[in-house]
Structures are given as structure tokens and as C-alpha cells.
Amino acid sequence: MKGRWRTLGIALAFLVLAIPARAETIQITSGGFVWSRPIGGGPIPISFEGQGFTFGGVGSSTGVFWPWIQCATPDCFVGTTVDLLSTWSGGDLPGAVTYNGVTYTPLGGLDPSHAGLLARWTGSLTIPDGFTGGAVSAPFLFDGRFSGPAGSGIVALLTGHGTATLQFIPFPPFDPPFPDTTGAFLLQSASYQFDAAAPVPEPASMLLIGSGLAGLAALRRRRRGGGDR
């Protein structure tokens, strides 16, 4: 069941994120969402904004919030990598978008006269050694797509990053059919908050940048040398 939901969420995200080359790219710099129990979930208030774009609404319970799906049963232990995948789209993301001074509502659904929105957070965190409960944080990446009503020609690619903080408690004992819950953790709450600062390049990215600069410098020296002969 978990695999089916995750596959559905990823497939939907890739399908909707097939962005035309002419789409504008918008950097999301603030906002986010906070999820908390009880079991059964419910609407999650979500907001984000950046560069003339704002969204305020909710992620419905029919979206994919993978950390809860993964850790709602005693499957999260010390050393477990928790997938941060969280995604909502179409009618599962009700609210209002304001883009370049124009407000679009409602969003999604099957009616092509409505604007559409996809929002997806990705990343992972690992429950550390010696952990007994509390907060664990890790960076996330965000991408999405906003499309205006049919015929408007409006398409915008959304991108951003930030920090996800997940709060865990020891998993309470359950009667069968659940197995022994000793050492397992239950997700209590989660906060995904955007960061306006530019992300720090990873070491591999910095190496590629350095190699590129070195290559350009060598090419320039070669051209100068050729001109002197």
C-alpha cells in the first residue's frame, strides 16, 4: 500500500512537471507548512511566496505526505532513512494563487477554466545513532508548477529549498497485528519551512565549478600563447 501511494505521487509529479521551455521560473523564498497528529491526518495549512507569486490554502488528506505513511507503523528505527516526499496537486490543493497581481481561485479539478497548481517537497533524513526521541532536521528541495486557465498561456515553474524538522516519540505499544514496537519511533509532527538564502553548493558541485573555471583559464592561456607566435 505504501509503495502504491509513493509511486502514484512520483508519477503524478513527473507528469505535471513537464514544463514548456517558455515557462517562467519563480524562486519561492518564504512560507511552508506544519503537520501534526492525530492519526487520520486532515487538511494541512500551506503557504508560500516569492517573486510576485503567493499561494495560501491547504493540502488535503488525499495528497501524499510520505513521512507519516512511512512512520505511522513501527517501521522507523535508529538508522532508518525517512523520505521527506510531500506532494499535493489539482483539487487536492485548494486555495488561492496570486500571480503578477491577478488572483486565481478555485484551483485544480477537471474544469479546464480553472488554474492548476502542483507543489512537491523532496529530500530525506536519517534517524541518528543514540536517538531516543525528539527533533531531527534535514534540508529539502521544492519544485512545482502553476498553470493558468486553459487558453491563458500562463505557466510558471516553482523552485525553492529549506529545512524540514520532524519530531518523533517512542512508538506506543499496540496489540496484534502490529509487531513488537520496541525501539521504533512514531512521527509526532513535521515542519517544512522555506529559506530565502541561496543554497550552499555541495562539494561535488563546487569541484565541477572549479574544474570548469580551471578549464576556461587554460583555454585563455592557450589562446594568448597562440596569438604571440
Side-chain angles (χ1 to χ4, degrees), residues 23-88:
E24 177 185 8
T25 299
I26 297 174
Q27 182 76 25
I28 300 299
T29 55
S30 64
F33 69 87
V34 176
W35 175 95
S36 61
R37 295 181 69 223
I39 293 175
I44 300 176
I46 298 174
S47 65
F48 48 83
E49 61 181 288
Q51 298 176 306
F53 180 95
T54 63
F55 169 73
V58 297
S60 75
S61 58
T62 54
V64 176
F65 181 57
W66 191 255
W68 170 245
I69 297 173
Q70 184 177 355
C71 298
T73 55
D75 293 323
C76 292
F77 299 86
V78 166
T80 297
T81 297
V82 179
D83 194 334
L84 299 177
L85 174 67
S86 306
T87 181
W88 289 270

Side-chain angles (χ1 to χ4, degrees), residues 88-169:
W88 289 270
S89 64
D92 299 331
L93 195 62
V97 163
T98 299
Y99 176 57
N100 291 335
V102 179
T103 298
Y104 299 86
T105 184
L107 298 174
L110 299 177
D111 188 343
S113 65
H114 295 169
L117 179 65
L118 166 74
R120 182 180 66 168
W121 293 255
T122 58
S124 64
L125 60 78
T126 301
I127 299 177
D129 292 340
F131 185 72
T132 58
V136 184
S137 296
F140 68 76
L141 294 177
F142 172 82
D143 59 343
R145 170 177 174 159
F146 171 69
S147 300
S152 68
I154 296 173
V155 180
L157 173 66
L158 311 177
T159 184
H161 67 278
T163 300
T165 301
L166 275 56
Q167 188 85 20
F168 296 94
I169 60 173

